[in-house]
Each structure stands twice: as C-alpha cells, then as structure tokens.
Amino acid sequence: MSAHQNSTPSHNQLDTKAEAWSALFSEPMSDLVKRYTSSVFFDKRMWQADIQGSLAHAEMLSVQKIIAAEDFAAIQKGMAQIAAEIEAGSFDWKLDLEDVHLNIEARLTQLVGDAGKRLHTGRSRNDQVATDVRLWLRGEIDLIEGLLKELQRSLVEVAEKNVDVILPGFTHLQVAQPVSFAHHLLAYVEMFKRDAERMLDVRRRVNVLPLGSAALAGTTYPLDRERVARTLGMEAVSQNSLDGVSDRDFAIEFTAAASLCMVHISRLSEELIIWMSQNFGFIKIADRFTTGSSIMPQKKNPDVPELARGKTGRVVGHLMGLITLMKGQPLAYNKDNQEDKEPLFDTVDTLKDTLRIFAEMIGGQLNPATGAKEGGITVNADNMRAAALKGYATATDLADYLVKKGLPFRDAHETVAHAVKLATQKGVDLTELPLPELQAFNPNIEADVFEALSLEGSLNARNTLGGTAPAQVRAQLARNKARLG
Ligand code: ARG
C-alpha cells in the first residue's frame, strides 16, 4: 500500500498535495520531484492577490446562490485570519501543498470546514493563477508608473538648474555640436515618459479577468463573471476560456516594456560612467553610490550605474526566457507556465529598485529639515565648457553663417573644412583665427562671425521646437513640470 492510499485526510484538512489530488494516485512523489514541481516558495508573494480573487469569486458564488451566504461569510472570516497569519509570519507554508493556491485553500478548509471546500466550485487553479498573476502585476505596474514619474522629476529638477550649462553633444562619441546640459537630461525624460506610457498601455491588457474560464472549457455553474471583474476593478472579461487560462502574452509584453526601460537606464548609466571618469570630469555622484578599490586607494568606482547597466542584461534575459517559454505550448494550460513567475518577479524587483536608486542618485534625497533635496549629482560646468571648446563644435555654425551670407550649403561646408584644417594645423580654435585669416576663406565674413562661433551663439541659434536654444529648453522644462505635477 502506498503512502497516498494510506493517508486518511481528516474532514476539514488537506495536509499534503496527495490529499488534494484524491485517491487516484498509487505512489508518493519523491522529495526531488516535490521540490521540482512546487512553486510555493516563490509564488507565495502573490498571496494577497490570491485571497482577493478568492473573495470576489466566493461573493459571486453566494449572490448566484451557488453557495450559501453563510459559506461566503465563513470564507471571509477564514481569509481574514489567513491574511493576518501571513502578515505576522506565522503561516505554515507547506512544500507538499505545491503552490500558494493550495496552501491557502488547505488552511481555509482547516479553519472553516466545508465552506472552505466549496470555494473551488466553478474554478480551477488554471484560471485562478492567471487571475492572480494579473492582479499582482497590475499593482506592480502602478508602483512602477509612480517610480518612473519620480525619476523624471529628478531629471527635470537637475535640468532646471543647468539650462545655461553647456557641454559638447556627441555623435559617434566625437564632439559634434554644443548643447545645454538641461537639454541632454530632458532627452532621458522623454524616454522615461514613453516607458511610462508603455506601462499604462500594457496595464489595459493585464487588467482582464480570466476567472470563470475554469480548467479550460468554462464551467457548468451559472457564474457572473462580469460581477467578479467589477469587484476586482478589472476592465474586461476574457472572451475565450482556452485563451484565458493559457496565454501569458501580458507578462511578456510587460517584460518587454521593462526591458526597454532598463535599456534607457543603461544608456544613462553609460553616460554617467563616462562623465565621471577623470578624463571627462563633468559630474560627480554622491559617495554613497560609489565604492572604493581594495588595492588602489585613490579610486571611487561608479558601481551603481555599472550594476544597472549589468542588470539590464538580466531583465532582457527574462524577456527571452518568457517569450521562449510560450512558443511551444499547445492550448490550453501547461505546467510550463509555472515558470513565468520567477522571471516576472525578478524583472519587477530589478526595475523597481533601479528606478528608485536612480531617482535618488540623480536628484538627491529630501532633507525634511530644509525641505530641499540633497546629495544628487554635482555638475562641473567649467569642465563641460572646456570640453565643448575642443573639437570645433561650432564648425556647423560657421557653415550656417556663410549660408546666411548667400553661399550654397555644400560650398559653405567645404569652406569650413578648409578653415578647420588651418586651425588644426595652428592648434587653435576657429574663434582664435584672426578675422583676416577667416576672410581669406570667404570675403563675406565679418566681425559678427565670432558671436556665431561662440558656444552661447551656437545654442541660441538652434531655436526650433525641440532644439537646444535656452528658450526652447525652458519651454520644454515648463511643459514637463506641468505634466509631472
Ligand atoms: N502553480 C501553478 C502555476 O503556477 C498553478 C496552476 C496549476 N494548474 C495545474 N493544472 N497544475 O501555473
């Protein structure tokens, strides 16, 4: 006789999965297989969603007279106690009960008897887990949205103080044209704004109720699925039971949006790392985000941005994992889907931590005594300016100047190339060439050329929508501040 056949469950208690499964099984699961198949030690983090979903289901069952009102009352009472136990850390999670769903249901039955056993009427773990993941992820998306706003606010605050700070803009990491530091930071605000929009768009498709799909084909009980959706604040009810229990495209989509957000963080990290190297010296980040070296006493390493760049690989890896998890699955539910959780959870954790830490590293921390933020990045405007003065960053401005004097742009471009060549040979900036030498390239050049060739002149001239002219940057700052509240 096997252990399963021997086990005689008490009437209000399921202690092991074997007991949950019925008498059909003729041999016990080995410990290795139990460990391999169980998910409780990671999916227990969805316990609140699981209880919330169960209560909405039970309430509907009682309204539909599928279970008695007393049963619903007992389920409510039992769930309140379970929630208190989990919060207090006294809930006894059992590996034998495989996952969060069976653990909670078993405890409920232990507490309230038959009412607990009625909870699973018209429901399967397949639609239950799909509902739980969606409910849980919806809450996390809302937190991420808030954190993305915080990060944007930090960037805007630093930008506001640096509209007139000029640094070289790069293409191919070669000095290209001077830009306002605020303009540079606002580029990231645009990226994080789109990331937040993507999150909200994903949220609409996450916020759909699969419960009522049952195992795969729907159920014989007269469920009111719309009522459950309303109770749970979900925007729609899934329209096909096979699809409802099986697809995890919403998790893939979320991880794709998270990956893009991390890619933006990673690009910003790369810039911070470059800017704080001694060869650039554009910024400093506060010591609490850096570490020293065990051998080189002079070192301060940008560990946080480097780790964020590294963790981007991890999140993109989760996207690959999830999308590959889905690709071979026939309809409907397959146990493969249990593997959706760890990558999804880790994506959420990594993204949230990263957003939080970046908002603080860039914008600083609020000092409640002064009401001001402290300890954000420090900007070295002199070093930025010196770098912008190297590499003929205003050469395009000389070409534009000549175009305004009537030269076709291509000819102007060629003329400036000669001027840059001469300046390079002499080891000076374009502004350091005497006027007669410049006039030798084109007689229309006059003394006002030096204003056009200055960093400020170059910025001011780029006064088109989205350009780096301080007037434009101030308009963008105002727009973003109004939007971010
Ligand atoms: N722990 C399972 C999961 O995460 C719950 C659903 C199990 N369903 C089943 N038919 N075995 O997917």
Side-chain angles (χ1 to χ4, degrees), residues 21 37-40 42-43 46 98-101 124-130 133 215 248 333-341:
W21 290 169
T37 55
S38 89
S39 54
V40 64
F42 52 83
D43 67 18
M46 302 192 303
E98 192 174 295
D99 56 25
V100 61
H101 324 292
S124 148
R125 271 191 306 156
N126 297 349
D127 55 347
Q128 185 179 359
V129 69
V133 178
R248 296 292 182 268
Y333 176 86
N334 301 283
K335 187 79 166 188
D336 311 39
N337 282 339
Q338 183 163 290
E339 288 289 308
D340 65 354
K341 288 170 200 64

Side-chain angles (χ1 to χ4, degrees), residues 102-113:
L102 289 178
N103 268 272
I104 290 180
E105 194 189 332
R107 178 69 180 139
L108 181 71
T109 302
Q110 205 173 47
L111 290 170
V112 303

Side-chain angles (χ1 to χ4, degrees), residues 8 35 37 56 123 158 207 215 218 248 264-265 301 315 365 385 419 430 434 462-463:
T8 41
R35 193 161 53 69
T37 55
R123 181 178 84 166
V158 179
N207 202 20
R248 296 292 182 268
H264 292 149
I265 289 269
N301 297 326
V315 170
Q365 237 175 349
R385 188 174 185 87
L430 283 176
R462 287 177 169 69
N463 200 13

Side-chain angles (χ1 to χ4, degrees), residues 246-281:
S246 65
D247 211 331
R248 296 292 182 268
D249 57 358
F250 67 92
I252 296 170
E253 224 187 307
F254 166 79
T255 310
S259 294
L260 266 176
C261 183
M262 286 298 293
V263 164
H264 292 149
I265 289 269
S266 189
R267 296 183 69 191
L268 177 56
S269 298
E270 175 68 6
E271 306 226 65
L272 295 173
I273 294 163
I274 292 176
W275 289 343
M276 66 185 282
S277 83
Q278 285 78 0
N279 310 69
F280 275 69

